[in-house]
């Protein structure tokens, strides 16, 4: 079969397209837009957990702590410990039965842990027994009622007993399955020997929005070191922090639609020792908690905080190497992100030389709203909207910090909005409007949840424009920027496009926070960048095919604007219309606007020549009149939303919003 050779004209056209793409990428590197933070997320560390704060001053070749060595010396067991640690543990337990003391209990916990470490490479089953014995006695040190009057929570041994419990339990879990993962399924039972008896350990989930969904084997948070994120948030207590993840191929239902499968969530495993069974058999239960909803539990009548790690699962989630492609994919391949996932075939997504990995990622990307955990009724939605050439991962620093606040975590649930940033921002605003309405219909079809009517939007750069457009009415003001003829005439073949220019304010939104937003456009959008953008950005068919005869359009019609780069030009009259409609709405309904602007410090010699800006948006363009608050942050455009001052201001606003929500909330609203 003969194959037709491509024509020279076709070759020249493809070459021009590739050159335009290369030049645009180079240009975007020179003019930073809203790219996400560089977040490698984590790296495997597999630290030796016994080194560090557990034994601040170890002595002796066995690594036995000074106080335990003193206890051994008291009972003439020090030399025996140097010869045979297993026999020494038995001897200490014999003394413990005759004379119960906290020092002896602690000694058994420490020596058993050391013996478990020694046996791990030799006899893993025997090592698991030693770890169980260590956790059992550490638990006794903390909760045995016979020691209530002698237990001193200020004694360093108390915290060390907590650490022996946590580390022994963690090492035991690793031996139950594999060194790096553990499968903990509800109603699953484990049998471990201890004192010649079968110790029965069952498993159950106590709290967690993940319910009874099938989960992948848990990973250990201790195996990962967070990088790039400036803060790590954890709570100290009892338990082993884990990383949970829904199984691939899990059925997507209403409660999981907005939580992609690949996202990880924090889990804390706790080993609760129970009274002996009817036949005297010892038993315990592994309890799984969601630390985002449960910060503590009760053991032996005492309230105990759970050990938790909220940052590592977040870092792991955004560390997928494909995440880095979301920014450029959303800008240059808007056509892919706007298609249903089922329509993204290998052939359709890989045409004209796109690599297979990008195609695969495009098929798995969730466009629209999503959560880092399943939806919870009664919590106020806070929605983060990123800017151009960006993705939801750009918010991870702010999200990580805000979610660490227990009250904010209890009252708010944080959403992220991912959208194609290559298309004009008013098109994306219309899609956000539809997605917010669908979200409300999904979770509150009767509109009875008052938390939905206190919604907060936080937008960075172009995302601030999308957020502002959710709060105003269009009237005919936006259509005047399209045509002097009726929309039925101009858009007769594309009735869906009328949503771009005719809309009503979303009554559920009570507060908008805009960050480094170009309310009057950005000089980065100029003739040069606009020309390259038109060559390189592939728009969705639903946007690309919306055209009309020129004679029906006004001179600078919005329908002639093809890309987001064009739409951000300071010459666009839409910016004045947005501000005018926003200010007209201020007298009609109680909505609060807060603005954060960036201003980089310029050398004295350059100040007379360059206007104040954040490097992308000029200060006069980012400034907002008639708002509740406005602050300036000495930071550049691409990182302002991760700056501590910005995060602190958003934190303040959210607490203020809670106070007003409590004050004015009523059942009829």
């Amino acid at each position: 079969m003969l194959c037709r050779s491509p024509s020279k004209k076709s070759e020249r056209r493809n070459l021009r397209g590739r050159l335009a793409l290369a030049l645009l990428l180079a240009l975007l590197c020179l003019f930073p837009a809203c790219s996400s933070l560089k977040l490698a997320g984590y790296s495997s560390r597999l630290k030796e957990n016994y080194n560090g704060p557990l034994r601040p001053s170890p002595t002796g070749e066995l690594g036995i702590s000074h106080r335990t060595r003193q206890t051994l010396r008291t009972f003439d067991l020090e030399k025996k410990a140097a010869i045979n640690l297993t026999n020494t543990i038995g001897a200490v337990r014999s003394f413990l039965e005759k004379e119960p003391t906290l020092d002896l209990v602690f000694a058994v916990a420490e020596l058993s842990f050391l013996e478990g470490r020694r046996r791990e490479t030799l006899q893993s089953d025997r090592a698991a027994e030693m770890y169980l014995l260590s956790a059992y006695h550490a638990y006794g040190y903390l909760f045995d009622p016979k020691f209530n009057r002698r237990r001193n929570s200020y004694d360093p041994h108390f915290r060390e007993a907590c650490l022996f419990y946590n580390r022994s339990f963690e090492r035991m879990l690793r031996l139950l399955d594999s060194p790096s993962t553990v499968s903990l399924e509800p109603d699953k039972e484990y049998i471990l020997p201890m004192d010649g008896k079968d110790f029965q350990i069952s498993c159950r989930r106590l709290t967690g929005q993940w319910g009874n969904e099938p989960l992948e084997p848990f990973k250990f948070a201790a195996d990962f070191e967070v990088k790039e994120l400036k803060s790590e948030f954890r709570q100290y207590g009892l338990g082993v922090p884990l990383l949970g993840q829904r199984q691939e191929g899990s059925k997507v239902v209403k409660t999981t639609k907005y939580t992609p499968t690949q996202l990880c969530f924090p889990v804390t495993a706790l080993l609760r020792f129970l009274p002996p069974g009817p036949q005297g058999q010892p038993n315990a239960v592994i309890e799984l908690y969601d630390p985002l909803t449960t910060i503590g539990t009760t053991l032996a009548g005492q309230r105990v905080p759970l050990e938790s790690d909220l940052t590592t699962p977040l870092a792991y989630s955004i560390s997928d190497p494909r995440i880095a492609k979301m920014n450029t994919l959303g800008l240059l391949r808007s056509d892919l992100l706007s298609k249903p996932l089922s329509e993204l075939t290998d052939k359709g997504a890989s045409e004209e030389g796109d690599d297979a990995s990008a195609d695969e990622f495009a098929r798995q990307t969730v466009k629209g709203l999503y959560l880092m955990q399943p939806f919870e009724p009664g919590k106020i939605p806070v929605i983060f909207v990123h800017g151009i050439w960006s993705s939801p991962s750009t918010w991870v620093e702010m999200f990580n910090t805000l979610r660490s606040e227990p009250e904010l975590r209890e009252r708010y649930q944080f959403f992220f909005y991912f959208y194609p940033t290559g298309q004009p921002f008013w098109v994306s605003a219309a899609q956000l409007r539809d997605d917010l309405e669908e979200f409300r219909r999904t979770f509150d079809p009767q509109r009875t949840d008052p938390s939905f009517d206190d919604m907060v939007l936080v937008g960075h750069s172009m995302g601030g424009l999308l957020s502002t457009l959710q709060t105003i009415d269009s009237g005919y003001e936006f259509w005047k920027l399209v045509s002097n003829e009726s929309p039925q005439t101009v858009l007769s073949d594309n009735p869906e496009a009328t949503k771009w220019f005719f809309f009503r304010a979303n009554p559920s939104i009570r507060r908008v926070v805009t960050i480094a937003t170009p309310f009057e456009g950005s000089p980065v959008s100029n003739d040069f960048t606009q020309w390259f953008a038109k060559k390189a950005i592939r728009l969705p068919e639903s946007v690309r095919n919306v055209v009309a005869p020129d004679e029906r359009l006004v001179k600078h019609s919005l329908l002639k604007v093809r890309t987001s780069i064009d739409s951000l030009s300071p010459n666009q009259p839409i910016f004045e219309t947005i501000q005018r409609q926003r200010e007209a709405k201020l007298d009609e309904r109680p909505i609060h606007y807060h603005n954060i602007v960036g201003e980089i410090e310029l050398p004295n010699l350059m100040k007379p020549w360059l206007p104040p800006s954040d490097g992308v948006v000029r200060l006069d363009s980012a400034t907002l009149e008639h708002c509740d608050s406005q602050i300036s942050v000495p930071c550049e455009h691409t990182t302002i939303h991760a700056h501590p001052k910005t995060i602190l201001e958003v934190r303040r606003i959210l607490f203020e919003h809670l106070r007003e929500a409590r004050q004015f909330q009523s059942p009829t609203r």
Side-chain angles (χ1 to χ4, degrees), residues 85-86 89 108-134 168 171 175:
L85 196 56
T86 302
I89 294 171
V108 175
E110 180 176 344
L111 297 175
S112 299
F113 181 87
L114 289 173
E115 181 66 357
R117 294 296 291 125
R118 189 181 73 83
R119 289 180 176 269
E120 260 196 51
T121 57
L122 304 174
Q123 299 171 291
S124 60
D125 55 341
R126 181 64 173 162
E129 179 183 356
M130 287 292 101
Y131 289 135
L132 177 60
L133 188 65
S134 175
S168 295
R171 304 302 304 185
L175 293 174

Side-chain angles (χ1 to χ4, degrees), residues 189-223:
E189 289 200 352
Y190 302 90
I191 304 295
L192 290 177
M194 195 178 87
D195 294 336
K197 298 180 180 179
D198 287 339
F199 207 109
Q200 298 180 355
I201 303 176
S202 58
C203 179
R204 63 185 177 187
R205 300 180 192 173
L206 289 189
T207 65
Q209 292 296 311
W210 10 276
N212 292 320
E213 295 182 53
L215 304 177
E216 295 286 347
F218 294 100
K219 299 176 178 66
F220 294 91
D223 289 350

Side-chain angles (χ1 to χ4, degrees), residues 28-250:
L28 290 173
C29 292
L30 292 174
F31 294 95
C34 306
S35 56
S36 301
L37 296 175
K38 182 182 178 184
L39 287 169
Y42 72 96
S43 66
S44 180
R45 66 184 176 205
L46 287 172
K47 288 184 176 179
E48 169 50 72
N49 289 316
Y50 191 57
N51 292 334
L54 200 58
R55 293 181 295 121
S57 302
T59 58
E61 59 183 14
L62 288 178
I64 302 173
S65 66
H66 173 74
R67 286 182 63 176
T68 294
R69 187 168 292 281
Q70 179 175 292
T71 300
L72 294 176
R73 190 180 304 117
T74 299
F75 291 91
D76 194 25
L77 296 174
E78 188 174 13
K79 292 182 179 180
K80 188 173 186 177
I83 300 173
N84 191 312
L85 196 56
T86 302
N87 291 341
T88 304
I89 294 171
V92 175
R93 296 185 70 190
S94 297
F95 282 113
L96 180 60
E97 292 178 3
K98 301 173 185 176
E99 184 183 344
T101 68
L102 283 170
D103 284 341
L104 286 171
V105 175
F106 186 88
V108 175
E110 180 176 344
L111 297 175
S112 299
F113 181 87
L114 289 173
E115 181 66 357
R117 294 296 291 125
R118 189 181 73 83
R119 289 180 176 269
E120 260 196 51
T121 57
L122 304 174
Q123 299 171 291
S124 60
D125 55 341
R126 181 64 173 162
E129 179 183 356
M130 287 292 101
Y131 289 135
L132 177 60
L133 188 65
S134 175
Y136 179 82
H137 283 83
Y139 190 92
Y141 183 99
L142 299 171
F143 302 111
D144 193 329
K146 72 168 67 78
F147 301 123
N148 283 350
R149 292 192 174 185
R150 287 176 277 174
R151 191 180 293 111
N152 178 8
S153 58
Y154 295 97
D155 188 332
H157 263 184
F158 187 89
R159 177 56 187 163
E160 290 175 359
C162 295
L163 292 173
F164 274 125
Y165 168 88
N166 290 346
R167 303 301 185 253
S168 295
F169 181 32
E170 179 186 313
R171 304 302 304 185
M172 187 182 77
L173 289 176
R174 293 179 187 274
L175 293 174
L176 290 179
D177 200 338
S178 74
S180 58
T181 61
V182 59
S183 296
L184 297 173
E185 302 171 9
D187 303 323
K188 184 175 182 179
E189 289 200 352
Y190 302 90
I191 304 295
L192 290 177
M194 195 178 87
D195 294 336
K197 298 180 180 179
D198 287 339
F199 207 109
Q200 298 180 355
I201 303 176
S202 58
C203 179
R204 63 185 177 187
R205 300 180 192 173
L206 289 189
T207 65
Q209 292 296 311
W210 10 276
N212 292 320
E213 295 182 53
L215 304 177
E216 295 286 347
F218 294 100
K219 299 176 178 66
F220 294 91
D223 289 350
F224 303 97
E225 181 176 5
V226 175
K227 292 186 175 181
E228 303 298 340
L229 280 173
K230 297 180 178 65
S231 302
E232 293 185 54
F233 295 101
R234 61 168 57 243
Q235 175 177 278
Y236 295 98
L238 294 185
V240 176
L242 304 171
L243 278 63
Q245 192 173 11
R246 299 204 321 269
Q247 279 187 7
E248 289 287 346
S250 297

Side-chain angles (χ1 to χ4, degrees), residues 353-638:
D354 290 331
D355 59 76
S357 60
D359 301 336
E360 179 185 2
F361 180 57
R363 290 193 295 276
Q364 297 179 7
T365 296
V366 177
K367 184 181 76 71
L369 287 164
Y370 69 90
L371 286 147
M372 293 298 292
Q373 63 189 91
F375 172 80
E376 295 180 74
K379 290 189 176 183
I380 299 172
V382 177
I383 299 172
F384 295 106
V385 187
H386 61 81
I388 193 171
W389 197 23
S390 188
S391 71
S393 63
T394 194
W395 294 107
V396 70
E397 192 77 59
M398 181 179 290
F399 171 66
N400 182 45
T401 303
L402 296 177
R403 192 176 65 167
S404 70
E405 292 278 356
E407 185 173 1
L408 296 183
R409 191 167 69 235
E410 181 182 344
R411 294 297 308 279
Y412 289 109
Q413 51 192 330
F414 300 96
F415 286 76
F416 302 91
Y417 189 63
F418 180 43
Y419 64 98
T421 64
Q423 60 194 14
F425 66 82
W426 49 84
V427 178
S428 299
Q431 293 173 352
L432 174 57
R433 203 172 291 117
D434 289 344
D435 289 337
L436 289 176
E437 180 59 31
E438 180 189 1
F439 166 65
R440 182 76 184 256
R441 286 197 306 268
T442 299
F443 291 106
D444 186 31
Q446 304 301 320
R447 307 182 79 86
T448 56
D449 188 344
S451 64
F452 273 99
D453 294 322
D454 282 317
M455 191 181 301
V456 180
L457 301 186
V458 183
H460 173 232
S461 191
M462 191 170 74
L465 295 174
L466 268 66
S467 301
T468 302
L469 280 167
Q470 306 305 307
T471 64
I472 64 179
D473 293 337
S474 65
Y476 267 82
E477 295 303 308
F478 288 89
W479 183 250
K480 292 177 183 178
L481 305 178
V482 177
S483 175
N484 292 324
E485 299 189 28
S486 69
Q488 291 79 11
T489 301
V490 177
L491 298 175
S492 58
D493 295 332
N494 305 281
E496 283 293 309
T498 57
K499 294 181 180 179
W500 305 351
F501 313 110
F502 292 93
F503 47 84
R504 298 282 295 174
N506 186 332
S508 298
I509 299 170
R510 295 293 175 189
R511 201 173 297 265
V512 175
V513 183
T514 47
I515 305 170
T517 297
F519 292 109
E520 296 179 5
S522 170
V524 170
S525 175
N526 51 53
D527 292 341
F528 191 51
T529 57
Q530 292 170 22
W531 182 79
F532 280 115
K534 291 173 184 176
K535 295 292 183 181
I537 293 176
R538 301 185 194 179
L539 294 170
E541 185 177 348
S542 58
V543 178
R544 186 172 61 247
N545 291 342
V546 177
V547 295
D550 284 350
E551 64 270 13
R552 294 183 178 179
L553 304 179
V554 296
K555 184 176 181 181
H556 299 291
S557 174
L558 296 183
L559 277 183
K560 296 180 180 179
V561 177
R562 307 310 301 165
T563 71
S564 57
I565 305 295
D566 296 349
S567 71
L568 294 174
S569 168
N571 298 323
Q572 288 292 348
I574 190 173
F575 294 113
E576 183 180 347
T577 303
I578 291 174
Q579 293 302 337
R580 187 170 60 249
Q581 294 302 100
R582 184 187 72 86
E583 292 173 7
K585 199 70 176 175
L586 290 175
D587 297 330
E588 298 180 20
R589 57 189 294 265
I591 183 168
H592 302 279
Y593 293 94
H594 304 268
N595 193 38
I596 301 172
V597 302
E599 184 177 1
I600 56 178
E601 183 66 27
L602 294 173
N604 290 330
L605 292 176
M606 298 180 65
K607 287 182 179 179
W609 308 99
L610 294 177
S613 76
D614 59 16
V616 174
V617 180
R618 288 174 45 161
L619 185 61
D620 55 356
S621 177
T623 301
L624 183 65
E625 296 183 357
H626 307 295
C627 58
D628 291 62
S629 66
Q630 186 162 240
I631 68 167
S632 177
V633 177
C635 189
E636 62 183 12
H637 185 82
T638 57

